[in-house]
Amino acid sequence: MGAIPTQRETTSRAPGAPAHHGADRRTTVRATLSGSSLAPGSARGLVRAALHEWAELGLPGTEFLTDRLADDTMVVVSELVTNAVVHAGTDVELVCRLEETDSIVVEVADHHPSRAPRDNNTEPAYETPEFGRGLRLVSTLAEAWGVTYRTGTKTVWARLSAQGTLAVEELGPYAVERGLRVAEILAPEPQRAERDRDWLGRGALSFLAEASDLLAGQLDEDLVAALAGQLIVPRLADWCAVWLEDEALGRWGSPRSSGAESGGGWSEDAGAGAGPRLARVWHGSENRIEELREALEKDPPRPPDSLRPVSYPWPADALGPHGTYGAALAYRLIAGGRPLGTLVIGRSGLPCFPDEVTGLVEDLSRRVALAIGAARQYARQATISRVLQRGLLPGAVAEIPGVHSALVYEPCDKGGPSGDFYDLFPAGDGRWCFALGDVQGKGPEAAVFIGLARPWLRLLAREGYRVADVLDRLNQLLLDDATEAAEAAAHALVAARGMPGPVGDGPRFLSLLYGELVPFDGGVRCTLASAGHPLPLLLGPDGSVATAARPQTLLGVVEDATYTSETFELRPGDSLLCVTDGVTERRSGSVQFDDGDGLATALAGCAGLNAELIAERIKRLVHEFGGRPPEDDMALLVLQAE
């Protein structure tokens, strides 16, 4: 380690701590990860990308970077970060460094120095951390590893050498598969756990690493439970079940204090209040699943005092003549200190499970818990975002006499609030107003900002202010203390709801196209202004296209900015197209959709179409322009005089 530690606790197969004097900065990757269940997957992704980049650059030391060493590194990174997330709960600092001396150094730091990692053979006096075989895997794979304590920080480090003795077993070309089929392929062959102890010590490492990636990619807790069952049955157990607990319930039931009679803390007394939900039941024989489910629902698990797996009552009546006796174990699913549920496995004809199987399922259960935690975090964020989005957009688009309108609105993040917004509303005195805007940034800050800007627009319009005056006043409002209130509200929202992602303290900018429509006999008078927004285009019945406004400064940037507006008439058959930059800046390689007046050309081809068909064609052309899905929010509004 670089600095001399104030205290060190080390276990290693080779003496000495890793050194990095004079290391090439390009061979070091550093990251600070939030202490959430998403951290292990993010860490693996960062290190995987770094190893690939180092190899492509041909940096010193990469001549020793074999596939075996890369696989071992991924397992160590996953284990150390998972350990820090589950048992420290703080932000995690990751460093991965390629050394010229044919080795890779991994360092994972958290901010709970009082909590040391735990080996299965030791029993610390304080509440602890690591169960399962995580640090044993690190010890096996690493040339040396240890723990360094500094004030307020504990760092677990490991050095892996190309000359090491143990390689992670390759699993073959199955990696392109996904879903339940992947789980099926990842798991060991039936009965292999008993006949092939070598696999449990070597191939299991690769199984756990790949299972982690599979589980981490799921956004639904019930699918995580299904994958867990598919990974375990029938390869490690004859049957398994996953119960999920409502986070609001916390601990429930009444675990027995001694646990002597019930095999490690299992209580037969029913707990008070609502219990967990039996999310998934798997059995090697499908015709036993429903009968097993009914039996298990009558006797849900009660959380044991110990975090170690404990015995579970054998459901003999549900398993037929060949399942009259056997062994069953229950594993608590905990992530970030929060109980999420219980995983139960069972095998007929055995008085107890082999230690190797128990340890492997224990490691897998930790990954299942992290995946469930991540899925719940995503669900919470998606729910909050949907509520926010409903409050940011109008419930309905107003119908304007003599005008046919069509709207396309596509947030890039389907589960989160968009930075784009629109509105079309009556302003009184025979006037209708419309707006299409884009706030700098996304997430809760942008949502709160839109939540302020839209009501201001409506209020100013209904007070009778002209188009240019509305922009003048809105610009000033965005620059005054209301912006600070918006940012404070966004910070509070993030803190209260646990929504991920940074909240910036910089200024908020708004690009806005705002206009007023006044129908009259024979047409519609339109007055509009564009503040830093893509300019609207006017399509005539003959296919001619013209720009309908002049460019002006973004709102919320220049305090003394003065805005002007243009007025023109929409005659029957004229169509006004308004878009956000998700349309004009849609990319295909280095080319944008609006390069060379691409949007105007596309609109000219819409002559003779009604408003809905124009909107649909522009949307289709934008989607077809790039080979990948859009990376920005997109909104477009078509107003056509009848």
Side-chain angles (χ1 to χ4, degrees), residues 178-179 213-221 223-224 227 371 374-375 378:
R178 284 297 179 263
D213 285 335
L214 173 65
L215 293 168
Q218 310 309 320
L219 301 178
D220 180 87
E221 61 182 68
L223 180 56
V224 173
L227 290 172
Y378 174 83

Side-chain angles (χ1 to χ4, degrees), residues 268-288:
E268 296 180 359
D269 298 328
R277 170 176 64 90
L278 185 54
R280 192 72 182 186
V281 176
W282 278 93
H283 191 287
S285 175
E286 290 189 10
N287 59 5
R288 291 286 179 190

Side-chain angles (χ1 to χ4, degrees), residues 614-625:
I614 293 175
E616 183 61 33
R617 176 174 288 189
I618 297 298
K619 181 186 78 169
R620 177 174 55 81
L621 291 174
V622 170
H623 277 280
E624 292 175 351
F625 184 73

Side-chain angles (χ1 to χ4, degrees), residues 52-65:
H52 179 71
E53 181 180 355
W54 294 340
E56 282 193 336
L57 293 174
L59 298 177
T62 54
E63 62 271 22
F64 304 106
L65 190 54

Side-chain angles (χ1 to χ4, degrees), residues 201-219:
R202 298 167 60 88
L205 303 182
S206 199
F207 163 65
L208 287 172
E210 295 297 336
S212 295
D213 285 335
L214 173 65
L215 293 168
Q218 310 309 320
L219 301 178

Side-chain angles (χ1 to χ4, degrees), residues 538-542 569-576 639-642:
L538 181 61
L539 171 67
D542 59 353
E569 292 182 357
L570 286 173
R571 295 293 180 178
D574 287 342
S575 301
L576 183 68
L639 300 170
Q640 187 176 71
E642 297 177 348

Side-chain angles (χ1 to χ4, degrees), residues 252-275:
W252 69 284
S254 52
R256 186 169 293 172
S257 57
S258 66
E261 300 86 356
S262 56
W266 200 266
S267 171
E268 296 180 359
D269 298 328

Side-chain angles (χ1 to χ4, degrees), residues 265 308 349 456 490 545 600:
R308 290 182 177 278
W456 285 338
V545 176

